[in-house]
Amino acid sequence: MMTMMMVDLSQSPLSSSPKSPSNIINDDEEERLEVVNLSGLALQSLPNPSLNLTNICKLDLSNNHIKKIPESLTARLLNLIALDIHSNQIKALPNSIGCLSKLKILNVSGNFLVSLPKTIQNCRSLEELNANFNELVRLPDSIGLELTNLRKLCVNSNKLITLPTSITYLTSLRVRDARLNCLMVLPEDLENLINLEILNVSQNFQHLTALPSSIGLLMNLLELDISYNKITVLPESIGCMRRLRKLSAEGNPLVSPPVEVVEQSLQAVREYLSQKMNGRLVNTAAKKTSWGFRKLVKYGTFNGRARAWSREEREGLIMPEYRPIDILASTRFPAMCSPRRIFSPRTYFSR
């Protein structure tokens, strides 16, 4: 039976001594090696090991200066379960990463990645993908078609404009963090994410202006963070999210619900949106008053001639007979409708 052995060099300086990474990897105990920690050794490249890489189940190369992961290396890590290469200077992942069929945890955050290889969809056992703090402008279009076991997707602090439609096929997904990007829209058909519990699309600032109505069909969602965007209207379907425990919507120019409703409580937001959905929302906005044609006609503005008014009529106690105002649509009397004539002081405006 193979014995698990952990090699931890994270606290040791890299040197040519007998304890250097290359010498340890070439040790007689190589057949028992399963966990390798080369974190924080200022490595600029990877050593060329002679051991059987298929024995490694966890590999930590984080906090180094590595710029490239060799294709040949990942192609031989057939039993790798966890790969941590965060905080390096990697600009692209090897296509051979698709060979890691047993990989469950992949952490590539804090690098210079512009995209992820399409072959990542072949990592069908993947459960956690952390690609925060990169320069991603897009995700593979087919990323959601094969990663049916993915439970956590973190792509915050990138340059994503959209998320691929296939992301709605991630039925096992529980956490999706896409804050601090340039997202303009979210995919439709979000209701397919039946296990999603946490959704964070905050701080996309002026880019994200609306949410799809399907967001209210995420029946298992517990936390929704849409703060600091340009959203003006929340979908009415959010009123149906009975399991939702936390809603963060500050920093948006909300009109519906009004900010004062959002500031009250989540329950107040639910009630507002539910009433709006059912058409029971009462509009309490004050009606604006303005000058109407009725008042203008009453005082003889449009009848083309002045006439004497009785005291009762001037005080509005008696409603006189109204004159037709068809003249408004006529081109024969432009002077009658001019602002100067309408608002000019006349004797019949006074007692």
Side-chain angles (χ1 to χ4, degrees):
M1 179 180 295
M2 182 178 295
T3 304
M4 178 174 289
M5 176 181 179
M6 179 174 180
V7 177
D8 189 348
L9 301 179
S10 59
Q11 304 300 325
S12 304
L14 184 62
S15 66
S16 59
S17 65
K19 292 298 182 180
S20 64
S22 58
N23 288 336
I24 286 187
I25 291 177
N26 288 314
D27 193 81
D28 293 337
E29 297 175 329
E30 63 184 22
E31 291 300 323
R32 294 182 292 167
L33 185 64
E34 290 195 4
V35 179
V36 176
N37 185 353
L38 300 176
S39 175
L41 296 178
L43 294 174
Q44 295 188 2
S45 61
L46 296 177
N48 188 17
S50 59
L51 81 163
N52 185 358
L53 295 178
T54 59
N55 290 337
I56 300 178
C57 65
K58 296 181 180 180
L59 178 60
D60 187 350
L61 300 171
S62 63
N63 293 292
N64 284 294
H65 305 299
I66 300 171
K67 296 182 179 180
K68 184 178 181 181
I69 303 293
E71 293 274 356
S72 58
L73 177 67
T74 49
R76 294 160 61 190
L77 295 168
L78 300 181
N79 288 308
L80 196 65
I81 296 176
L83 175 60
D84 189 349
I85 55 176
H86 82 267
S87 302
N88 278 284
Q89 300 175 19
I90 301 170
K91 295 183 179 180
L93 295 178
N95 288 320
S96 59
I97 199 170
C99 298
L100 307 180
S101 59
K102 297 182 180 180
L103 189 67
K104 293 184 177 182
I105 301 175
L106 175 60
N107 189 345
V108 296
S109 63
N111 283 283
F112 302 113
L113 298 175
V114 177
S115 63
L116 299 177
K118 184 179 179 180
T119 54
I120 199 171
Q121 68 179 14
N122 297 327
C123 302
R124 294 181 175 85
S125 299
L126 197 62
E127 296 180 359
E128 295 185 17
L129 173 57
N130 186 340
N132 299 332
F133 297 98
N134 278 282
E135 298 180 4
L136 296 174
V137 294
R138 62 179 301 173
L139 297 177
D141 291 335
S142 57
I143 191 172
L145 298 179
E146 302 293 339
L147 301 182
T148 56
N149 292 309
L150 194 64
R151 297 162 60 91
K152 186 175 182 179
L153 175 61
C154 298
V155 289
N156 77 61
S157 306
N158 281 283
K159 300 178 181 179
L160 295 172
I161 298 176
T162 60
L163 297 174
T165 304
S166 66
I167 210 168
T168 60
Y169 291 91
L170 300 174
T171 55
S172 297
L173 197 64
R174 296 183 182 274
V175 178
R176 189 172 84 181
D177 184 357
R179 57 190 156 143
L180 284 166
N181 277 281
C182 304
L183 293 178
M184 301 180 68
V185 293
L186 298 181
E188 296 289 345
D189 303 325
L190 292 178
E191 67 271 14
N192 295 330
L193 303 177
I194 56 177
N195 290 302
L196 192 65
E197 296 178 348
I198 299 175
L199 175 59
N200 191 335
V201 290
S202 65
Q203 300 178 76
N204 283 278
F205 300 106
Q206 74 271 19
H207 304 286
L208 189 59
T209 59
L211 298 174
S213 59
S214 59
I215 199 169
L217 301 177
L218 298 173
M219 294 305 177
N220 286 311
L221 198 67
L222 301 177
E223 298 182 16
L224 174 60
D225 192 342
I226 57 171
S227 56
Y228 298 100
N229 288 299
K230 282 291 184 179
I231 299 171
T232 56
V233 178
L234 295 186
E236 299 171 5
S237 57
I238 291 181
C240 302
M241 302 173 72
R242 297 305 172 189
R243 293 199 64 191
L244 192 65
R245 297 293 178 266
K246 181 180 179 181
L247 172 64
S248 299
E250 65 272 14
N252 284 285
L254 285 174
V255 175
S256 176
V259 176
E260 54 269 22
V261 173
V262 178
E263 290 177 347
Q264 290 179 26
S265 65
L266 174 57
Q267 184 59 30
V269 173
R270 282 203 193 99
E271 292 179 359
Y272 180 96
L273 294 175
S274 295
Q275 291 179 8
K276 184 178 178 182
M277 181 187 301
N278 296 323
R280 298 197 303 266
L281 190 63
V282 178
N283 186 5
T284 58
K287 295 182 179 180
K288 295 182 178 180
T289 58
S290 60
W291 278 74
F293 289 125
R294 183 178 181 185
K295 180 179 292 186
L296 293 175
V297 173
K298 171 184 174 181
Y299 287 108
T301 305
F302 294 111
N303 62 6
R305 62 183 179 84
R307 75 179 183 88
W309 296 92
S310 65
R311 180 175 178 275
E312 290 80 4
E313 287 179 328
R314 288 200 304 268
E315 293 180 353
L317 301 178
I318 299 178
M319 298 297 290
E321 180 182 356
Y322 288 90
R323 303 294 191 271
I325 58 174
D326 295 338
I327 191 171
L328 287 175
S330 174
T331 58
R332 297 175 57 191
F333 304 97
M336 291 294 199
C337 301
S338 67
R340 176 177 294 182
R341 177 177 180 82
I342 292 174
F343 298 106
S344 61
R346 301 292 298 271
T347 57
Y348 41 78
F349 275 89
S350 63
R351 293 175 182 263

